[in-house]
Amino acid sequence: MSDPTADLTTAAPEDDLLRRIQATGDGGREVVDAATRTPIGYAPVQTPDELEQAIARARAAQPGWEERGHAERSRLLNAAADAIDAHAEALARLLSREQGKPLNGPNARFEVGACSAWLRTAAATPLEPEIVVDDGTTRAELTYRAIGVVGAIGPWNWPLMITIWQIAAALRMGNTAIVKPSEYTTLSVLALVSVLNDVLPADVLIAVAGDREIGERLAAHPSIGKIMFTGSTRTGRKIVESSAENLARLTLELGGNDAGIVLPSADPKAIAQDLFWGAFINTGQTCAALKRLYVHDSLHDEVVAALAEVAAAMPMGNGLDERSVLGPLQNRAQFEIVSRLVDDAKANGGRVVTGGSPATQLGELFYPITLVTDVTDGVALVDEEQFGPALPIVRYSDVDDAVRSANRLDVGLGASVWGDRDEARRVATRIQAGTVWINSHGGVHPMIPFGGVKGSGYGLEFGVEGLKSVAVPHIVNG
């Protein structure tokens, strides 16, 4: 683990972004550094009236934005990606401070880079008219048009990247967008939107920061044609209820409890690094992270030992420390969930291989990488989404049993199978999840559709399917 007393008082390029976006102390909510718990600044807390004004402005701007056409909108999205790249270090540092993820590894700088990459891909992805029937008598052509105003309600774990996932396709298709950031990572998202608005026309993209009421009103507003939401299944259900008033279209990327199955044909040392990052990217705070691992008896001890060896080599500490690749839990509520689930596993016979108690020497919300064995289905750490740096490792002896275990919960965002590729593919077809990765876990690509099943939500993002999801089909038949 890295030195918590390291000197982190170098120049702060994010200060310019903070000056653009933050409220005064009297008019805002104090935001603290996730690692040090010291103040960063003040996030504005906007009112329902301000939301109404923002929606009216976005609605008025939408026809003109759509009329610019795909080529011009794509040009502007590429220019917006250039603006992100120009502010990349400032955005990464602010993200690291507010969210907690380190600058290095698959973390803050990686996330900012993904933002510009996703914008560029959305701009470049073709969506051609489709001739669905042309039989000499009937000719039917399918095209896609903008919905109108899209509401984007984002999470705190990957706040910048997921905001871009929500708005890139929406803007490309001619919609305007209202972004409602998480209360936990408001400043980072406001900074991103500010940078994008250096390039985009006025009122095409508007951020409204506030509490839960703002999200509820956004989801229920009659002028909102589509809601993009990433977050918990419980909140997702509330969004569905709110959206019933306006029949808004929905894309819901909800909670997951992704299973991984290690087959007898796997090589423990060869897969250990990818297993580790599949579970512990962003210190485990990822919807599609590997959250329960089923390992065949013949390899169990070797896999556990290999994962423990990788974990021991991964430094945890303040995100601005260039040596860190693992950070704190972002908020107290999530820290308490992880602590409770690990303690419950220990009380139910779980054996802690690494970690197992808070890393108080690093700071208030640090919890070390924790591997727990000798647990089974039914233990809370296996059955509940921990969303943090604790991984239960469950023995199995029959692949059919492992598949049943993977499918037994009402979630299905992602899963993975590890071992001989052909065998793993056969097993993957039996798993109930939106994406099943082979010999990796959690990787996303801007051209590969992504979405969940069961309690993990519905709708697809990315690629051509992502463009269609933020548009309405239009058929000319005759």
Side-chain angles (χ1 to χ4, degrees):
M1 295 183 179
S2 61
D3 181 4
T5 64
D7 182 11
L8 304 174
T9 59
T10 55
E14 67 272 23
D15 288 348
D16 286 341
L17 289 180
L18 281 169
R19 279 190 285 270
R20 292 191 193 192
I21 60 172
Q22 72 173 339
T24 64
D26 292 335
R29 174 179 51 80
E30 186 177 67
V31 176
V32 300
D33 186 296
T36 66
R37 315 308 294 168
T38 56
I40 297 173
Y42 292 88
V45 180
Q46 292 175 271
T47 66
D49 284 346
E50 288 175 295
L51 174 64
E52 288 288 343
Q53 295 165 19
I55 293 173
R57 286 160 45 206
R59 187 177 181 185
Q62 191 274 324
W65 175 243
E66 186 174 8
E67 287 171 7
R68 287 174 179 260
H70 284 294
E72 175 63 6
R73 291 195 300 272
S74 293
R75 184 190 70 78
L76 287 166
L77 289 183
N78 278 310
D82 291 341
I84 290 175
D85 291 342
H87 293 85
E89 187 64 9
L91 287 167
R93 284 178 57 89
L94 180 55
L95 174 63
S96 180
R97 294 173 66 189
E98 187 177 40
Q99 200 282 330
K101 65 185 65 182
L103 292 171
N104 291 321
N107 291 299
R109 288 175 176 139
F110 165 84
E111 180 170 350
V112 173
C115 288
S116 58
W118 248 264
L119 274 175
R120 295 186 200 284
T121 301
T125 301
L127 182 55
E128 303 295 343
E130 180 183 352
I131 306 302
V132 292
V133 172
D134 190 1
D135 59 7
T137 302
T138 298
R139 187 179 191 276
E141 182 180 72
L142 171 63
T143 58
Y144 290 86
R145 293 180 171 177
I147 295 171
V149 182
V150 171
I153 303 173
W156 51 260
N157 58 332
W158 294 90
L160 304 190
M161 186 168 69
I162 291 177
T163 293
I164 291 293
W165 289 359
Q166 294 174 331
I167 66 172
L171 295 176
R172 156 67 198 283
M173 293 305 295
N175 305 288
T176 52
I178 303 290
V179 170
K180 193 276 178 188
S182 166
E183 296 96 310
Y184 288 117
T185 50
T186 305
L187 293 177
S188 299
V189 175
L190 293 182
L192 174 68
V193 170
S194 176
V195 168
L196 296 174
N197 280 333
D198 286 343
V199 172
L200 296 175
D203 298 333
V204 164
L205 175 64
I206 304 172
V208 180
D211 57 17
R212 184 176 300 168
E213 182 184 8
I214 295 295
E216 290 171 352
R217 286 181 178 246
L218 182 62
H221 199 283
S223 293
I224 298 296
K226 170 86 182 191
I227 291 290
M228 307 285 290
F229 172 74
T230 298
S232 71
T233 300
R234 182 181 62 181
T235 303
R237 290 193 174 101
K238 292 180 179 178
I239 295 232
V240 173
E241 293 172 4
S242 296
S243 69
E245 292 299 318
N246 60 356
L247 292 179
R249 292 161 172 80
L250 299 174
T251 294
L252 304 175
E253 197 262 89
L254 307 179
N257 193 352
D258 288 15
I261 298 175
V262 178
L263 301 174
S265 56
D267 180 341
K269 286 191 176 294
I271 66 174
Q273 189 90 9
D274 288 335
L275 271 177
F276 179 89
W277 285 118
F280 299 118
I281 186 172
N282 196 25
T283 316
Q285 299 166 108
T286 297
C287 295
L290 173 59
K291 297 190 174 82
R292 48 195 173 112
L293 183 62
Y294 296 90
V295 183
H296 192 267
D297 272 331
S298 62
L299 297 181
H300 176 276
D301 292 350
E302 290 179 76
V303 169
V304 171
L307 276 173
E309 184 177 348
V310 173
M314 297 295 177
M316 174 178 281
N318 189 308
L320 298 186
D321 186 332
E322 296 283 353
R323 296 168 292 180
S324 299
V325 294
L326 298 164
L329 277 300
Q330 200 282 328
N331 57 78
R332 169 59 62 179
Q334 200 58 47
F335 179 88
E336 296 294 346
I337 289 170
V338 174
S339 296
R340 171 180 62 82
L341 292 175
V342 173
D343 289 347
D344 178 81
K346 290 189 287 187
N348 281 281
R351 178 174 69 89
V352 174
V353 178
T354 63
S357 58
T360 53
Q361 75 277 16
L362 292 176
E364 182 180 330
L365 299 185
F366 283 87
Y367 205 98
I369 297 299
T370 298
L371 304 175
V372 183
T373 63
D374 298 339
V375 287
T376 60
D377 290 349
V379 173
L381 182 60
V382 179
D383 285 11
E384 298 180 29
E385 183 181 26
Q386 69 277 53
F387 215 71
L391 179 66
I393 303 173
V394 182
R395 292 178 183 267
Y396 77 90
S397 56
D398 185 273
V399 173
D400 289 344
D401 290 338
V403 171
R404 278 191 288 271
S405 288
N407 290 340
R408 62 184 280 270
L409 301 178
D410 186 31
V411 287
L413 189 57
S416 56
V417 186
W418 305 74
D420 173 77
R421 183 172 296 275
D422 291 338
E423 181 188 9
R425 283 183 173 274
R426 289 192 294 271
V427 173
T429 63
R430 302 166 58 195
I431 296 178
Q432 298 164 3
T435 300
V436 183
W437 290 276
I438 305 299
N439 292 322
S440 66
H441 193 108
V444 290
H445 186 286
M447 287 302 295
I448 299 176
F450 179 73
V453 299
K454 300 196 287 188
S456 293
Y458 50 79
L460 291 172
E461 300 175 273
F462 312 159
V464 173
E465 295 304 319
L467 296 180
K468 292 178 180 179
S469 78
V470 287
V472 288
H474 182 251
I475 297 171
V476 175
N477 183 354

